[in-house]
Amino acid sequence: SRPHLPPPPSKMAAFALSASFAVARTAALSCSRAVKARSARYATVTAKAVSVGDAAPDFTLMGAGFEQTTLSSLKGQKVVLAFFPAAFSGDEDGGCRCQLGALQSISKEDGITVLGISKDTPFTMGAWSDDIGIKCLADMQNEVAEQYVGTFDLGKFLDDLDISKGFTGYVTSNRGCVVIDEEGKVVYTWVGLDDKGASHPGILPNTTEIQAALGIGKVNIA
């Protein structure tokens, strides 16, 4: 005997199936476009945004133990924002460890609030803060870096030097420093750029200039 076959779908059922496919396809395309948009955003390199005299853009970032720090809650204090490309990089003579290490005396001896900021996660920032002795915050989407000192492709920089391979596209904060006064105004900015104006993580800020902007240490930097 011939096997029993299910009846052909009705026109309405066929329409519903076609409509469902169309919806699924549209959703898939939207998802694909969103992923591409996010990827494009993460690969975006931006220039320094704030200048001396600007009101410091407010932000809230997480640090160790997912504790949140909001800049505006520090109004009435002088604040140093130290932007760096990556935690647990560099040494005492160069890189991120040297940059933040040079600010320890400003934090511990002069009592100035110093906040390190990079793309790393709160988990990493907890261990890095303990190691370096400065409170560090996670700017995982580079949103604060874009508002203050800009971003650059650290991966491409390292790939081009044959230090890494396939790292291009890892965009993180420029090395930079911003000093904010008690009123929440920017009084000093610095970004690590070479003579051609390109981002260079090997260039470090001048601690004496930072102290002068804070009104401590050697004020005359001429």
Side-chain angles (χ1 to χ4, degrees):
S1 62
R2 297 175 62 184
H4 176 72
L5 298 175
S10 66
K11 290 184 178 180
M12 182 60 71
F15 174 78
L17 181 63
S18 175
S20 296
F21 176 78
V23 170
R25 184 173 181 274
T26 301
L29 287 173
S30 296
C31 181
S32 175
R33 288 167 183 159
V35 169
K36 289 179 180 178
R38 288 196 297 270
S39 297
R41 168 175 166 73
Y42 295 152
T44 299
V45 174
T46 57
K48 176 181 80 95
V50 299
S51 300
V52 172
D54 290 348
D58 197 18
F59 61 80
T60 298
L61 293 175
M62 291 186 293
F66 301 103
E67 178 185 357
Q68 295 188 337
T69 296
T70 299
L71 179 64
S72 58
S73 70
L74 302 174
K75 192 170 183 179
Q77 305 176 35
K78 295 178 181 179
V79 179
V80 176
L81 304 180
F83 292 87
F84 59 97
F88 293 102
S89 64
D91 55 29
E92 282 73 13
D93 298 318
C96 299
R97 182 173 294 277
C98 180
Q99 176 191 0
L100 294 182
L103 299 175
Q104 286 181 348
S105 64
I106 291 175
S107 173
K108 296 177 181 179
E109 297 175 16
D110 298 303
I112 303 294
T113 299
V114 178
L115 301 175
I117 300 175
S118 83
K119 186 178 181 177
D120 299 284
T121 68
F123 301 104
T124 302
M125 288 309 200
W128 178 239
S129 296
D130 290 341
D131 185 2
I132 205 68
I134 286 176
K135 185 175 187 177
C136 293
L137 305 175
D139 182 22
M140 292 180 287
Q141 307 301 328
N142 286 328
E143 292 177 349
V144 177
E146 289 174 355
Q147 289 182 296
Y148 279 88
V149 298
T151 58
F152 81 113
D153 193 333
L154 174 63
K156 185 177 187 306
F157 179 87
L158 296 176
D159 280 357
D160 289 348
L161 293 175
D162 291 328
I163 294 174
S164 61
K165 185 177 181 181
F167 200 21
T168 296
Y170 184 80
V171 176
T172 186
S173 168
N174 280 322
R175 192 178 306 287
C177 182
V178 176
V179 176
I180 302 167
D181 69 11
E182 296 92 335
E183 300 302 317
K185 296 289 186 182
V186 175
V187 296
Y188 174 83
T189 65
W190 176 90
V191 179
L193 305 175
D194 63 19
D195 293 339
K196 297 179 180 179
S199 299
H200 196 303
I203 301 173
L204 293 172
N206 187 319
T207 306
T208 302
E209 290 183 0
I210 298 170
Q211 290 175 319
L214 291 165
I216 59 176
K218 182 182 177 182
V219 176
N220 182 7
I221 60 174

